[in-house]
Amino acid sequence: MPEILVTVYDVFMRTYPGFLEATVVTLQLTAIGVILGTVIGLIIALMKISGSKILQAIANVYITIIRGTPLIVQIMFLYFGIVEIYTMSNFWAGAIALGVHNGAYIAEIFRGSIQGIDPGQREASMSLGMNRKQTMSRIVFPQALRRSIPPLGNQFIITLKDSSLVYIIGVAEIFSLGNREAAQSYQPFESFMVVALYYLVLVMIFTFLLRLYENKLDVDKA
């Protein structure tokens, strides 16, 4: 076995208890970021497709700012902005920043899914006596949600990798632990190789689970 692989294996065996704890933190950050982002995204998407120019303008400004600035800048901005107003742990500050960031992208996913529904279905539901609210909740939303599952799954995986950026505010997730191990052991290549393996395994697992869920729902027929 090549010496470098032996060294990577040694680093892995020495650090796996800490990395397992950091993996839990990473998954928590990802889950909160996606859930919060989904709530924000749905609200922003509804604002974008509403008939109000004011709401549309607010949604457009939000999406433009979030998509036009780096996530790491948003994390720093929100972290120091939040702690000036309200005392909050760096974990929750990072999770909120991920949620706000995701909201802009998930809003576009929902908007595209909603507007992708055949307008004829809306007209048909109206002719059956449904109002706009009933049409959206009973006809449009169920189909739009089903169509949005693949891109939402991809966004979850993107968030999983983006969560590494919260190390900048001191959250002890996978990348932060790898960075610390590299500094303490003077083995940066081996340490970050282990970090890459953890992320790769997590992404592969969630990609597999996402494919299973898509096949179960048969989203391609939505």
Side-chain angles (χ1 to χ4, degrees), residues 63-75:
I63 292 174
T64 299
I65 292 174
I66 296 300
R67 297 180 70 173
T69 55
L71 173 55
I72 194 168
V73 174
Q74 296 167 22
I75 291 172

Side-chain angles (χ1 to χ4, degrees), residues 78-97:
L78 288 173
Y79 174 64
F80 289 107
I82 290 173
V83 297
E84 286 290 331
I85 302 171
Y86 179 76
T87 302
M88 181 177 295
S89 68
N90 52 3
F91 171 87
W92 280 105
I96 290 173

